[in-house]
Amino acid sequence: MRPGTLRRWLCRLAISTLSTLLFNPITARAADADNNWWKTAVIYEIYPRSFGDANGDGIGDINGITAHLDYLKDLGVDAIWITPFFPSPLVDFGYDISDYRAIDPQFGTMADFDRLMAEATKRNIRVIADMVLNHTSDQHPWFIESKSSRTNPKADWFLWRDGKANGQPPNNWISIFGHSAWQYVDTRNQFYYHAFYKEQPDLNWGNSDVRNAMYDVLRFWMQKGVAGFRLDAVTHLFEDPALRDEPTTSGTNKFGDPNHDTIYTDNLPQVHDVLRDLRKVTDEYPGRVLIGETYLNNANDLALMYGKNNDELQLPMDLQYGFVNSFDTAKTRQLLVDAETKINGNTPLFAFDNHDNPRSTERYDQKGHADAVARLIATMLLTPKDSALLYYGQEIGMTDHLPRRKEDVQDPIGKIGWPREKGRDAERTPMQWNADNQAGFSSTKKTWLPVGSDYKTVNVASENKDPNSLLNFYKKLIQLRKSNAQLREGEFVIVDPNNPSVLSFMRRTPDGKSVLVSCNLTANAQSLAIEELANKSGEVLISSSPLQIASGQFSLPPFGSVVAQLQ
Ligand code: GLC
């Protein structure tokens, strides 16, 4: 063979293999399905300080997550979203980042992270990073440089403004975490803006250097294999350049500040330019997803987050359906129908729990019905046509544990706002693995937050053993969601739309097969005769208690739910 011939031959072979792979319709469809994994995903949120403590210092870490991957696999999750693990002074427990390309030593090392990625990939679990784009820590080198003078190369990387003539802040904007959103710095004789704590200065997203620096951060983590990002506080990226005062509404917030209509600091139209850029960046790597922390008022606003041409976020969170905070059937149904029908065929991402709000076990508490309510919420979350977010511990029915005294509070919101605002410690207590000391979370006695007092009964080990436990209910639902064609891909159809007590819908595939889901949102038993089901019987796939469906008739116990294949 002449020199070069072998190279040319290998090259042709590579091209033909590649084109077969790329243009083979079966492979192409599989790749497409794989890249769209997020459309039907169950994504499990991990607060790393509280999930598993491998090194025994009382604080969870990356190795503690790796150690529990088999549990997550068994539960059936497709991806884990880990809240920030980057170096941070931890004023906001990681949401104040001082280095976007490293791991905080409290959580481990980059080698630990790489091992987590490898072990997760082996189990077909994707890893989603939490990206805080709106602000950095005040200890980030960018901010340290920016505040040093008005003329340094990063002088314009944050939002600096002169105060009023009397030394007062530039305007009336209020921080989400209490009091003025402006902080004075004498090296510049100026104020900087912070939507959250003063230790979290807002970046200036109008500056293209800031944008490009952040886009490179995303590329860095995608090259490490992360499957996408949960974009923190993403609706806050821009503020009114004219700095107009925000209109004051009635009452005060939990910190005693006047309430504002946040029209100049939240959800400005410029956010969409950045979302489109971000999407282009993540689209450079196949199969990545952008999730948004999007607290919005209605489905129309949510629809905008996907982009007019579906070129923005794939999964902006719907934080409406799961946050009604009471069993108001009409309102819940309306929010569900809106999310399923008014977002241009996109996928809603539902959540009932996260690290910023009291757990649903508290928000939907119905004295004496805790177990039924937890199963009802599982059904409401996992059976519509959606992607679903679970928060660690939700699957075993973990509850909130409020700090009793101000001295015990860890979350600065609780320190600033005590006693009206007790902070978010209650929903961040250590994961309850078993009935051993510290609930199997840590080998040390002093965990960063105390373990919930109910850990002897509410824990993974004992619920694993009990076939009727909430944990096994979650597992069955998640399995069913994957194995049942109607739940996997069936269209969403509301049924019995005027029932004041029971939320019912069907999932129907083009072959005419359907699955019925009915959820009793009241504390009374409800008998149903669903018109659409007349003469049909149903094979119960999952229900919170035994029941039978004959001729479209059945009854549900208080807060009961059923998922049935119709025949
Ligand atoms: C988001 C996070 C929250 C954090 C805040 C500031 O709302 O979920 O935990 O405190 O942003 O980064």
Side-chain angles (χ1 to χ4, degrees), residues 45 59 63 69 81 134 136 150 185 217 223 238 245 261 264 300 308 329 371 385 390 400 403 407 455-456 514 566:
E45 179 190 352
I59 299 168
N63 287 340
L69 284 173
W81 144 34
N134 180 66
T136 67
R150 291 189 186 206
V185 171
V217 166
Q223 279 155 23
F238 287 90
D245 273 348
D261 191 359
Y264 296 132
N300 294 338
K308 291 215 174 81
T329 312
D371 186 60
K385 191 169 170 59
L390 282 183
D400 280 9
E407 307 82 272
Y455 77 96
K456 293 263 180 206
S514 41
L566 296 181

Side-chain angles (χ1 to χ4, degrees), residues 92 95 135 177 196 200 230 232-233 293 355-356 424 428:
D92 192 12
Y95 283 98
H135 47 269
F177 289 168
F196 296 92
Q200 295 170 298
R230 176 263 186 188
D232 183 66
E293 187 197 21
H355 65 285
D356 288 327
R424 297 163 292 180
R428 297 175 175 178

Side-chain angles (χ1 to χ4, degrees), residues 123-144:
R123 293 165 178 80
N124 204 19
I125 295 176
R126 291 170 163 90
V127 177
I128 293 172
D130 203 323
M131 202 36 75
V132 186
L133 303 176
N134 180 66
H135 47 269
T136 67
S137 155
D138 63 348
Q139 300 307 310
H140 194 293
W142 296 342
F143 186 70
I144 293 176

Side-chain angles (χ1 to χ4, degrees), residues 373-426:
V373 165
R375 286 165 205 250
L376 184 68
I377 285 176
T379 309
M380 289 165 69
L381 175 65
L382 293 163
T383 58
K385 191 169 170 59
D386 66 350
S387 263
L389 269 174
L390 282 183
Y391 180 50
Y392 81 92
Q394 177 179 350
E395 72 280 20
I396 54 170
M398 271 175 65
T399 53
D400 280 9
H401 299 277
L402 272 176
R404 290 213 187 91
R405 305 170 309 170
K406 188 178 177 189
E407 307 82 272
D408 299 332
V409 176
Q410 296 279 340
D411 182 9
I413 299 184
K415 292 182 184 164
I416 303 173
W418 190 273
R420 265 177 90 188
E421 167 62 71
K422 295 198 168 76
R424 297 163 292 180
D425 294 351

